[in-house]
Amino acid sequence: MTRYNQPLGGNEMPRFGGPVTMMRLPAQATAEGLDACFVGIPMDIGTSNRPGTRLGPRQIRDESRMLRPYNMATGAAPFERMQVADIGDVPINTFDLKKSVEIIAEHYREILSHGSVPLTLGGDHTLTWPILRAMKERHGPVALVHVDAHADINEAMFGEAEAHGTPFRRAWEEGCLLNDRVFQIGLRGTGYAPEDFDWGRAQGWTVVQAEELWYRSAAPLMERVRATVGDAPVYLSFDIDSLDPAFAPGTGTVEPGGLSTWQALEIVRGCAGLNLVGCDLVEVSPPYDPSGNTALIAANLLYEMLCVLP
Amino acid sequence: MTRYNQPLGGNEMPRFGGPVTMMRLPAQATAEGLDACFVGIPMDIGTSNRPGTRLGPRQIRDESRMLRPYNMATGAAPFERMQVADIGDVPINTFDLKKSVEIIAEHYREILSHGSVPLTLGGDHTLTWPILRAMKERHGPVALVHVDAHADINEAMFGEAEAHGTPFRRAWEEGCLLNDRVFQIGLRGTGYAPEDFDWGRAQGWTVVQAEELWYRSAAPLMERVRATVGDAPVYLSFDIDSLDPAFAPGTGTVEPGGLSTWQALEIVRGCAGLNLVGCDLVEVSPPYDPSGNTALIAANLLYEMLCVLP
Amino acid sequence: MTRYNQPLGGNEMPRFGGPVTMMRLPAQATAEGLDACFVGIPMDIGTSNRPGTRLGPRQIRDESRMLRPYNMATGAAPFERMQVADIGDVPINTFDLKKSVEIIAEHYREILSHGSVPLTLGGDHTLTWPILRAMKERHGPVALVHVDAHADINEAMFGEAEAHGTPFRRAWEEGCLLNDRVFQIGLRGTGYAPEDFDWGRAQGWTVVQAEELWYRSAAPLMERVRATVGDAPVYLSFDIDSLDPAFAPGTGTVEPGGLSTWQALEIVRGCAGLNLVGCDLVEVSPPYDPSGNTALIAANLLYEMLCVLP
Amino acid sequence: MTRYNQPLGGNEMPRFGGPVTMMRLPAQATAEGLDACFVGIPMDIGTSNRPGTRLGPRQIRDESRMLRPYNMATGAAPFERMQVADIGDVPINTFDLKKSVEIIAEHYREILSHGSVPLTLGGDHTLTWPILRAMKERHGPVALVHVDAHADINEAMFGEAEAHGTPFRRAWEEGCLLNDRVFQIGLRGTGYAPEDFDWGRAQGWTVVQAEELWYRSAAPLMERVRATVGDAPVYLSFDIDSLDPAFAPGTGTVEPGGLSTWQALEIVRGCAGLNLVGCDLVEVSPPYDPSGNTALIAANLLYEMLCVLP
Amino acid sequence: MTRYNQPLGGNEMPRFGGPVTMMRLPAQATAEGLDACFVGIPMDIGTSNRPGTRLGPRQIRDESRMLRPYNMATGAAPFERMQVADIGDVPINTFDLKKSVEIIAEHYREILSHGSVPLTLGGDHTLTWPILRAMKERHGPVALVHVDAHADINEAMFGEAEAHGTPFRRAWEEGCLLNDRVFQIGLRGTGYAPEDFDWGRAQGWTVVQAEELWYRSAAPLMERVRATVGDAPVYLSFDIDSLDPAFAPGTGTVEPGGLSTWQALEIVRGCAGLNLVGCDLVEVSPPYDPSGNTALIAANLLYEMLCVLP
Amino acid sequence: MTRYNQPLGGNEMPRFGGPVTMMRLPAQATAEGLDACFVGIPMDIGTSNRPGTRLGPRQIRDESRMLRPYNMATGAAPFERMQVADIGDVPINTFDLKKSVEIIAEHYREILSHGSVPLTLGGDHTLTWPILRAMKERHGPVALVHVDAHADINEAMFGEAEAHGTPFRRAWEEGCLLNDRVFQIGLRGTGYAPEDFDWGRAQGWTVVQAEELWYRSAAPLMERVRATVGDAPVYLSFDIDSLDPAFAPGTGTVEPGGLSTWQALEIVRGCAGLNLVGCDLVEVSPPYDPSGNTALIAANLLYEMLCVLP
């Protein structure tokens, strides 16, 4: 028997029963004593098209019930070496996005004060901005692996600084990022100007448009990522809409021509060896995939993130 | 041929084609020259449970395509006596609820300046507050027929003054209501205190809990409403969740034991003779009824509202 | 053991297995030797709003799998006194509505030549017109119990004589109906002229608008129907959209304020004693009720029709 | 501040966040110290038509998130007078129904040993049989209020003694019931023999077929129930398929012509004053109502059961 | 500011509000003055399996709301060089397919008389036949890029010349096509004879079965297309069922093993440089993808077509 | 005219009508006289996560209605050389999994006694165990091509020997398999121990994890399979969850990162030349894909299996 928390197994309680925590792990109120923690941010008031990501954390937890402890592809055994639990949700103010941004930042300051690595269940992408702010306060500027259909570097949306299309602009403004170690992967679709994706490039970021990855493995890209990032602290932000809607229909700002789950798995697995200080999986919108499969895939990716934590 | 706008008929364009305006009426940019106008408020950032009402106006318009000009139950012929059009949506700021409240108020001041009666396609119930503010500025305090599962008179929600559970408290505070001519119909469910529904009663309002209407016609109640309201200007706010979820599954804060469509039709038809200065139909959440039937019922109720305008 | 066909029971084959025939009865190619037969007409090219009724017969048969032989409300035991089977579908021409009308008429002439009473699984309401034509050829003009949200007596739709909104006008023109014994029950909604429902009244028909039945039993009405119809041959045409969408969401031309299943059951059961020569259940559109419940209710109503055959 | 557990309020955590326990109450491992407990039985291997009730407890808990502490219709305030928690799920053996029956019985013996009243989230109706066995061991034979579309008194199904159509036959055989104080309410549909519902009557039970309740309040019936049951220990078993599918589409063995939520609420509220020793709400099948509304109604009915506990 | 129509931006009106025109462009009644126009054909009476494409234009327009003006992959800026608008729907006769074919032909003659390039939102594939007829009258025989799971070259279906499986046979018969410049891409599945796909080859057409494209870029194929077609006028007909159902579930005649959105984008983008005189996107059936994603992908492909217009 | 049964064609009966048998083939009660037979096993009581496969056979048959007789990719013409029919469902005991296993074994002994090759429509994967037992009794140990996300070689699940995660362990124990000719293709996901997939390897089986096939054709693998298997009798067991959920969302134990339909078709087509003695397609769960597409793909794969029978 291990000394670490274990996911509740299917031979003790049917998969469709038991607690609705991430991987049916024990719940606890804070990150105290945890090497890593799953934490939900039930928010969609930063979305600009379809809503529903407020229900993302609930459905991701629900559909995580099938996950067993060992990674059959990589051999990873996270529950043999880390103490992990589900610390519940951030009590955002759903009627005020600006206040929610502050609430999130404060919540993550507290999590980080325990030396725990947060794995976030989103929630819309606005949330990455206050997390990065807290990350910087703890770790200084961080490298970034940002997987997404969109660059999310708008100056503003509808005149507002904080929205799900602006987090990386805000983080950049506040010096949260190591600009020579930022990767944006999977960008595509339409824009307000032909140079939308070049803004990041101008800051020194590496932008990998989706087209560059079509029909091929993402493993070589991840080698490049690892070589560039080195041992800098790095944050992984994974927007489920980076995937083609065939693979992840349950999201709000869909762009065809995206990544496959094969590539998504390679990208997360390719972060092994990096000095990950935090990860998020955002933009799962349950009403747009009642089968639960998008959330189930998200749960798998969060598990894969856990597997590659240092 | 009539001199008024007419809904596009099914013998000119199949019902599943043609413009996606309310009842396939002509669109115009402002309320100028209109006796009544349909206007959408695509908003859900004031909701506290399930989202999706931001898509309500689109789906209501879509499903209104079956509506023909004459009312077979009442004989009403609104397009023989009024100029009606669809004036589109209010450009709310979806990232800031407080600003949206201001935008709505300003938009309705403009509509009312044309002497047009607005029939609003919601959107979450927060929107009734700025509309009532604009109404008061134009007409002075108004009588109110409020059909809903919830009283929506919270002092605050999560500390916020503006949310979909507070509009009538705000309206009351600002003196928008004729307190002796306010009816709340269909209230039910659970509350934060046993006296939740008594706050309105203490202001002189008439509160009719859903249980009082079970198994019976709402016509006698509407007689009482008409007798009480008299010729005062009156606003009709109809939350689709007043209906039992059997009749209107597509909404976000569901309470079983509600009204039937039979009663809903009687309530709106029972407003004939009142001096209606505005009406809204709120809280239709398309993702929770992909069949479109909830929106279709909403479209019918909006049509019935048009039929009883003075 | 009975000498009649019996539905396959749940103790011989799980309800979710076995043949997909109506009530899991034996299939046969023609109506020969049958007192009554179930027959499908997979058609939706006569619909004017939402499609999908082409799949109605398949889903009604599928969801009929739960039906057991005895009627617990009325004590009816149809399989103790009649030979019943499922004779499959009419091979309509889905690319030509006019030809399909002819195909249907010919098919029913053949069925009726066996002295069998057809119980039709629709399909859109256009189909009742050719059936009534065949009925008249066999039985002379018939009485009619027509349960529907719509009168379906348009002179034409989009200039066409044959569509799902015209069958009873066509039948009337050809003298298929005993005009003093025609009942239209459940009509409501909007129309192209205030007198739409009065056309039938002018022919001597009895039109019972939905509003007349709200909150009350349909049994007294059916007494009146039986007294009026007497022993004339009578055809029962039941459009599932007569039901309120709460009770039957899976249909294409939805009108709120309709009948309940309580009333629907009373109406069909109230036909006991009539000289029924044929029945249909039309306008079930599976894509608008993926749960299958609308089809399941339709299957039950078809079973109730079987129970009241003379 | 109260000394009892309270549901997590919407002003502390948005309704769409927080723990997925019943009413967002605290979870605990056993019933120790609890006046009443919510407990789930995630099982559908006893179902005979559509599956899915194994997911019922998860969805009921999820959709219970809107429930506030006070009952606005009855004034009940259960959290002011009882210690209540969610004690999780029974670890049934999903591959062996017979063993699961034993597991359930043993689990409830343990719950009852704490003097706690179990409120069960089903799960298919097979589960009531082992619960009644445990009840009898604790309380002796009990009175029964059984609300259902089906009598569930089959001698066997497919040759098996234990299935979702047999629990009350088994309970009767083992002397678990006070036969003169058994009520079966809402029965309807089709049967294998015309006398299916008379078996209970022959044992002295009162059988109220659905038809007897159409269009009317269930309150008079409940007066009769209370007068008959007196102060005997009584068990309430509520099958969600007692409701008409309009009101509860998400279930597996649907029968049209059922109860309304108005009647359902009256039936549960009408148990106030009875000496309730346990309650269950069974047969919610989430895949057949992706909106979650059936589960939400179930959650409300479970809350109403809590409100009427002695 | 540009002198051309622009799509309504997300900073002026939330994406989920505003007019339901293609890309939220201005609507106008005819193609007068337009370089290109979006036009809908709401038709499904030519379909042979699942219906629903009649609702395709409405859902494509609805889901096109996210599209911004610039193409991030190709740099195309169609609204900087062309006047584009949405000219609404063709008023087909939904009760008569043959008449609808005539109506469509006449409608396109009118569009083409303005020198405008029509981009058609289908609607079932029957519609391409009358469009090609109008194209021939204007431009003489045209080259064809036909992307589809099916060859659609049946002599007849159920004895009918006009149906969604026959348009290219009809067009060939009438000499609408430049047979040495016809490409059929993506064909697969089952047939009525082993040589079904060889008929086209016998006419000189190039048939590329889906299998030839598996796991690889479609770019080389499009080079070949461009080399072959040269500067002939060319029509692009894109059936969404060319895509594998993983990528486009919302269609009626599904064949597994199809194209990916990666290939679809390459195919349309690979038409840059061709002398496109018209394009269509057909067979989107909303009831089979309630998420809207299939329509959203269709909207993107229509936008990509606009981008490659000469 | 051929002497073999033919699927009912679309020119005789619309695709959405006609009998709900596999490919609309004739039904018959036993396998007598058949070279191959389609047979359903409506079972889900062996599933460990989401249920619903009990409805798989019904939906696969329903969605098989589009299949025409000839294979356009391979030229196969199965109905020109084999007598094929649909022999209905196995009457499993849905309340007792162990008895159902016996019922299935006995049923397949009977099928095999006619020298017919069974093509099984599942149902959960438990069913392959009794089929393999019957296969061994007829043919001796068989080679195996097992396509799946999971190895299904658990010693037990929840202490039970028979469940959908154990069939190949049971078959191995009983000597049903030629261990040097067993291929497991598509395995992936998480496990209870890092060596879960190595158990098969230790028996001499070839295990091809999904990752090995990403981005590439499965044809080379199938060459290897054919070379290894030679002319041994071989059984093909295809679990639809081998496919990535993008391609087959309607199943119960979903693992991202799976096969594509391109590969699935190659795998089945790559069995041409093998001495196939039986095939199954399991784990289609209709409630998780209401579009029917997963079942439609399953129907296609079953047809492809028919095409490669010796």
Side-chain angles (χ1 to χ4, degrees), chain B residues 11 15 31-32 36 59 78 122 125 156 233 236-237 277:
Chain B
N11 291 324
R15 293 275 167 207
E32 190 177 354
Q59 201 190 31
H125 221 153
L236 170 61
S237 184
V277 294

Side-chain angles (χ1 to χ4, degrees), chain F residues 33-50:
Chain F
L34 299 180
D35 297 302
C37 59
F38 291 106
V39 54
I41 306 184
M43 180 164 76
D44 65 1
I45 51 172
T47 59
S48 59
N49 188 27
R50 298 172 182 166

Side-chain angles (χ1 to χ4, degrees), chain B residues 94-132:
Chain B
T94 196
F95 307 116
D96 192 308
L97 181 55
K98 293 168 189 69
K99 290 181 187 171
S100 290
V101 165
E102 292 306 320
I103 290 167
I104 296 167
E106 192 54 32
H107 202 93
Y108 277 72
R109 284 182 194 113
E110 208 280 331
I111 291 172
L112 295 177
S113 75
H114 296 288
S116 183
V117 177
L119 297 153
T120 301
L121 293 64
D124 74 68
H125 221 153
T126 314
L127 61 86
T128 305
W129 154 224
I131 294 176
L132 285 173

Side-chain angles (χ1 to χ4, degrees), chain C residues 107-135:
Chain C
H107 202 94
Y108 278 73
R109 285 181 193 113
E110 209 279 332
I111 291 171
L112 294 177
S113 75
H114 297 289
S116 184
V117 178
L119 298 153
T120 301
L121 293 63
D124 75 67
H125 221 154
T126 315
L127 61 86
T128 305
W129 155 224
I131 294 176
L132 285 174
R133 197 158 52 172
M135 286 288 162

Side-chain angles (χ1 to χ4, degrees), chain E residues 60-82:
Chain E
I60 293 171
R61 284 191 181 99
D62 186 14
E63 293 292 343
S64 74
R65 65 187 188 253
M66 272 263 304
L67 285 164
R68 286 137 298 193
Y70 293 91
N71 189 320
M72 301 309 290
T74 68
F79 303 104
E80 289 188 357
R81 64 181 180 88
M82 290 188 283

